[in-house]
Amino acid sequence: MHDLQCESLVKRFGAYTAVNSVSFNVPRGSFFSILGPSGCGKTTLMRMIAGFEAPSSGDIRIKGKSVLSTPPNKRPVKMVFQHLALFPMMNVGENIAYGLRCRGENKADIGGKVARVLDRVGLPGTEHKQVSQLSGGQKQRIAIARCMVLEPDVLLLDEPLGALDLKLRERMKIELKQLQHQFETTFLYITHDQSEALLMSDNVAVMNAGQFEQIGSPQELYNNPKTGFVAGFVGDSNRWSGRVVSLSEGKVRVAIDGGGEVTALAGDNRIAAGGSVEVFVRPEAISIGGGRDEVLGGTVESLLFNGASSRILVRMDNGHLVEVGQAVMDGSVTVSPGEKVQICWSQLHGRAFTTAR
Amino acid sequence: MARTDVGKLSFILLFAPFALWIALLIILPQLGIGYISLREKVGPGEYTFGFSNYVAFLSEPIYWNTLLRTAWMSILVTAMALAVGFPVAYYIAKIAQRRSRAALFLMCLIPLWVSDLVRAFGWIVILRETGLVSSLLQKIGLVSGPVELLYNDATVVMGLVYTVVLFMIVPLVSTLDGMDNSLIEAGYNLGGSRLTVFRRIVVPYAMPGIVAGCIIVFMLTAGSYLTPILLGGKNSMWFTEQIYEQFVTRYNWESGATFGVLLLVFTSFVVWLGLRLTGQSLASTVAKD
């Protein structure tokens, strides 16, 4: 059973197509993210689901029923806005009660429901606080409570963590995931931050230029990207462009621009000998030293220390700068800037995609 | 030390014009008026002091009736200006495209470039017996003879609304402009109808602007002189006309000053009452960030 289904959704603004034939299904109770750079159409997509924009064509179904003719105030979809949009002239309790009052529930029920939902988001007894008295994280939880008290079929979240500072954002990611678990409601989360999407989601759709590039679990997207855009956008990657020398059994031999040849897995089936491709290798797959399939020479340029995600920057002999992530921290490899080194990785960790035109 | 002195000096220099303006043009004349209103002429160059001028005002129904009438009509004008101004302000601040906003706002300001007097005469040209509307109505055949549309209360109210509506629109636009559109969308998203969103979100948000606009418009209307006289004629029964008559026609400064004080006190009272009834305070509306 799917809580939300979108079928070949298209939205055009004049000659510009913001959302181009997007289809996806969100299973009940799952956390689904739409990840894409700003301007890729993800906000337009969300606004269509909420009912603030009418699609040019296609269908949106919630629990199997088309909602295209349902006005925004009648859809069983609630939304947490980017800047939360808590009503400043109401206190916390009134903010949460607003939706219930619109529904015409009686006063006694409303009081009880407000108290219960505040309890669930971990802010019991804050009914009479003013919105301005709350911290960023608390406002976030009130914005979610305000929607959840209405028991929506789908909760839409439009980059709600964007306005928070880094530390709080890290904490809220985990908290959001827990809240989703607790409410067992379908969350549709929109973000441009890949770490948010990977960390919280059951499924992620990567969106680019109005279209979905790939839908999959975070692990799939990370380990098995289907397009060059996904490989480059999800997680860190070293990226070299080059030309296909030969192709056999799903492996591509690529001559990198500037010199050097590597073998990588063919990422798509449009790769042909002589075609131009981009090769992606994740920093954590590369280590200093020899002994694996792919070996290239270079010079250490600098060491970037950042705890677990520390990097060594190596200028390769062909002029490209490579980020090396593996075995930087364990002290087994000691290098210093200026040193000549070899970097190596397994063929299985390289991926080649046809260069997008 | 020197730093704080410089700070003090610049504060004094900046504050002085304002203080002088308030003291010389507002407080001092009001004190003078208050003083004169308490004075009673008993003979040439001989005065006594007391409240006899105020007693005289209360004992003459035509005076306080005029004051009440002025207040009522001003409230009516304020309400109508709000009713006319709010949709205009909402359109400019929330619906119009960013590009056309400045142009629309400017169009609202254009009437202010023409003096009050000329604008009132404009109305006279349109509404008098031999005016545009009258001759048009005759041409269509709706009326048989010339009609006089001037010199009645409806015309005065309409003229006043026209004169003051801008002062309602400006504060409304600036408050509505500061309102995040997502508040309105959130209002709909959570299940509110158009009416609910308007009543529970837009109006409360715009309240500081509404109150500020209403105070300005009410005070301007109650204290206006030209429009009621020109459009309402000699029978317009506007309180400022009474004040003018006492000062200029009768040369009764004591009585005129009394009327002036009463107009100030009474309109201030109406504003206070309005603030109380809507649960607002001057601090929360005028001094809002």
Side-chain angles (χ1 to χ4, degrees):
Chain A
M1 183 66 178
H2 297 292
D3 263 354
L4 174 68
Q5 293 167 285
C6 289
E7 213 165 87
S8 348
L9 268 185
V10 178
K11 178 67 187 178
R12 291 188 203 91
F13 295 105
Y16 174 70
T17 308
V19 174
N20 190 0
S21 188
V22 163
S23 302
F24 63 99
N25 297 322
V26 182
R28 175 158 303 167
S30 68
F31 198 121
F32 191 95
S33 289
I34 296 173
L35 171 64
S38 51
C40 73
K42 56 190 192 300
T43 299
T44 308
L45 179 58
M46 178 163 277
R47 290 176 60 82
M48 284 195 284
I49 297 168
F52 297 129
E53 307 273 359
S56 307
S57 67
D59 197 9
I60 300 166
R61 282 195 292 271
I62 292 167
K63 291 223 154 115
K65 273 199 302 199
S66 173
V67 292
L68 285 190
S69 54
T70 314
N73 56 352
K74 297 273 190 288
R75 292 195 186 189
V77 173
K78 301 300 159 216
M79 183 160 173
V80 176
F81 287 79
Q82 190 163 13
H83 300 289
L84 306 180
L86 293 174
F87 305 130
M89 54 282 179
M90 303 181 196
N91 65 25
V92 169
E94 288 166 340
N95 259 288
I96 296 174
Y98 172 86
L100 295 169
R101 284 180 60 182
C102 287
R103 227 187 238 174
E105 301 204 7
N106 71 51
K107 273 226 158 70
D109 288 355
I110 291 178
K113 283 189 179 178
V114 169
R116 269 199 301 283
V117 81
L118 279 173
D119 210 35
R120 290 183 80 172
V121 298
L123 292 168
T126 50
E127 281 99 330
H128 299 291
K129 278 201 175 168
Q130 290 302 312
V131 170
S132 53
Q133 289 174 282
L134 302 175
S135 71
Q138 288 172 328
K139 282 184 190 161
Q140 186 89 54
R141 281 185 267 171
I142 296 303
I144 292 169
R146 186 174 72 169
C147 295
M148 294 317 294
V149 77
L150 298 170
E151 293 162 347
D153 290 335
V154 180
L155 183 69
L156 307 175
L157 299 106
D158 183 10
E159 307 206 21
L161 303 186
L164 303 180
D165 59 60
L166 187 69
K167 206 77 181 172
L168 189 56
R169 201 152 66 213
E170 295 300 322
R171 217 182 64 219
M172 282 310 292
K173 282 183 206 169
I174 299 163
E175 212 164 284
L176 263 179
K177 180 71 189 162
Q178 284 171 338
L179 280 174
Q180 191 260 335
H181 246 287
Q182 199 191 342
F183 284 109
E184 293 174 334
T185 302
T186 307
F187 275 35
L188 181 65
Y189 189 92
I190 281 197
T191 182
H192 63 267
D193 182 330
Q194 42 114 355
S195 78
E196 285 175 18
L198 296 181
L199 192 82
M200 295 189 281
S201 317
D202 298 315
N203 278 296
V204 180
V206 180
M207 196 171 182
N208 183 32
Q211 283 177 309
F212 276 4
E213 296 267 336
Q214 186 176 354
I215 305 177
S217 69
Q219 293 87 335
E220 265 172 60
L221 292 178
Y222 194 86
N223 296 324
N224 204 3
K226 289 275 180 284
T227 68
F229 179 81
V230 176
F233 194 74
V234 178
D236 294 336
S237 242
N238 292 297
R239 176 199 299 224
W240 309 299
S241 46
R243 235 154 239 297
V244 177
V245 178
S246 64
L247 176 69
S248 68
E249 289 163 14
K251 287 190 178 172
V252 204
R253 188 80 186 153
V254 179
I256 296 171
D257 296 349
E261 280 193 9
V262 296
T263 304
L265 300 177
D268 60 59
N269 49 24
R270 288 176 299 157
I271 292 178
S276 73
V277 291
E278 280 183 315
V279 177
F280 295 86
V281 184
R282 297 208 182 274
E284 65 267 25
I286 307 177
S287 49
I288 300 281
R292 279 196 275 171
D293 319 344
E294 299 302 320
V295 182
L296 289 172
T299 313
V300 175
E301 194 153 293
S302 52
L303 306 170
L304 309 175
F305 181 79
N306 181 21
S309 51
S310 296
R311 297 276 192 266
I312 300 171
L313 286 183
V314 176
R315 177 75 65 185
M316 294 201 303
D317 298 337
N318 59 18
H320 293 287
L321 201 58
V322 176
E323 286 187 31
V324 177
Q326 204 176 43
V328 176
M329 278 301 295
D330 61 6
S332 61
V333 183
T334 48
V335 289
S336 47
E339 205 173 306
K340 285 271 180 199
V341 291
Q342 283 193 315
I343 59 170
C344 68
W345 67 93
S346 155
Q347 272 178 9
L348 299 171
H349 289 132
R351 236 162 246 278
F353 293 97
T354 312
T355 307
R357 269 153 306 178
Chain B
M1 194 66 197
R3 226 191 144 78
T4 57
D5 282 350
V6 171
K8 253 184 210 162
L9 185 65
S10 53
F11 173 75
I12 290 169
L13 284 176
L14 285 169
F15 189 69
F18 174 72
L20 284 174
W21 179 61
I22 289 281
L24 294 178
L25 295 173
I26 311 273
I27 296 176
L28 213 58
Q30 285 300 335
L31 286 176
I33 291 285
Y35 171 77
I36 295 173
S37 77
L38 292 173
R39 191 171 76 171
E40 195 191 356
K41 205 170 186 175
V42 288
E46 262 182 78
Y47 300 100
T48 56
F49 287 89
F51 287 93
S52 59
N53 291 317
Y54 292 89
V55 175
F57 169 84
L58 288 172
S59 58
E60 190 66 73
I62 190 147
Y63 291 154
W64 51 262
N65 273 333
T66 310
L67 181 58
L68 285 179
R69 188 181 129 85
T70 303
W72 268 123
M73 283 179 71
S74 301
I75 289 170
L76 185 68
V77 167
T78 307
M80 286 177 70
L82 181 62
V84 172
F86 200 94
V88 175
Y90 192 83
Y91 184 84
I92 293 176
K94 285 276 152 266
I95 300 172
Q97 301 285 320
R98 278 241 160 249
R99 280 172 297 153
S100 52
R101 222 171 265 181
L104 287 170
F105 208 50
L106 199 67
M107 274 162 67
C108 290
L109 283 169
I110 284 174
L112 274 196
W113 295 353
V114 180
S115 93
D116 260 5
L117 191 65
V118 176
R119 280 189 287 160
F121 275 120
W123 279 114
I124 291 174
V125 169
I126 294 170
L127 296 175
R128 65 181 168 180
E129 262 180 296
T130 52
L132 266 176
V133 177
S134 175
S135 47
L136 205 68
L137 286 175
Q138 287 177 76
K139 210 171 260 174
I140 304 169
L142 279 175
V143 289
S144 52
V147 274
E148 179 61 89
L149 294 164
L150 286 172
Y151 315 125
N152 59 57
D153 286 354
T155 307
V156 172
V157 169
M158 184 202 62
L160 281 168
V161 169
Y162 163 76
T163 321
V164 296
V165 72
L166 177 75
F167 297 95
M168 186 65 89
I169 292 176
V170 172
L172 282 177
V173 167
S174 68
T175 31
L176 285 172
D177 207 29
M179 180 175 189
D180 189 353
N181 279 336
S182 61
L183 283 181
I184 300 173
E185 287 182 347
Y188 285 123
N189 183 257
L190 294 165
S193 60
R194 273 171 191 277
L195 186 70
T196 319
V197 170
F198 180 75
R199 201 171 52 84
R200 295 209 46 212
I201 295 164
V202 178
V203 170
Y205 193 93
M207 212 45 173
I210 294 174
V211 171
C214 285
I215 292 175
I216 297 169
V217 163
F218 177 76
M219 286 304 208
L220 276 177
T221 311
S224 68
Y225 178 75
L226 262 176
T227 313
I229 299 301
L230 289 176
L231 298 182
K234 275 291 155 204
N235 309 321
S236 65
M237 300 263 291
W238 209 257
F239 198 65
T240 47
E241 196 187 341
Q242 299 274 1
I243 299 176
Y244 180 85
E245 196 182 288
Q246 295 297 335
F247 271 110
V248 177
T249 314
R250 298 206 189 168
Y251 210 67
N252 187 350
W253 279 48
E254 289 75 21
S255 175
T258 307
F259 287 11
V261 171
L262 283 167
L263 180 65
L264 179 69
V265 170
F266 190 69
T267 50
S268 304
F269 170 75
V270 172
V271 167
W272 174 83
L273 197 69
L275 286 171
R276 282 303 294 269
L277 287 178
T278 54
Q280 299 285 321
S281 72
L282 270 182
S284 72
T285 55
V286 180
K288 200 172 187 250
D289 52 290

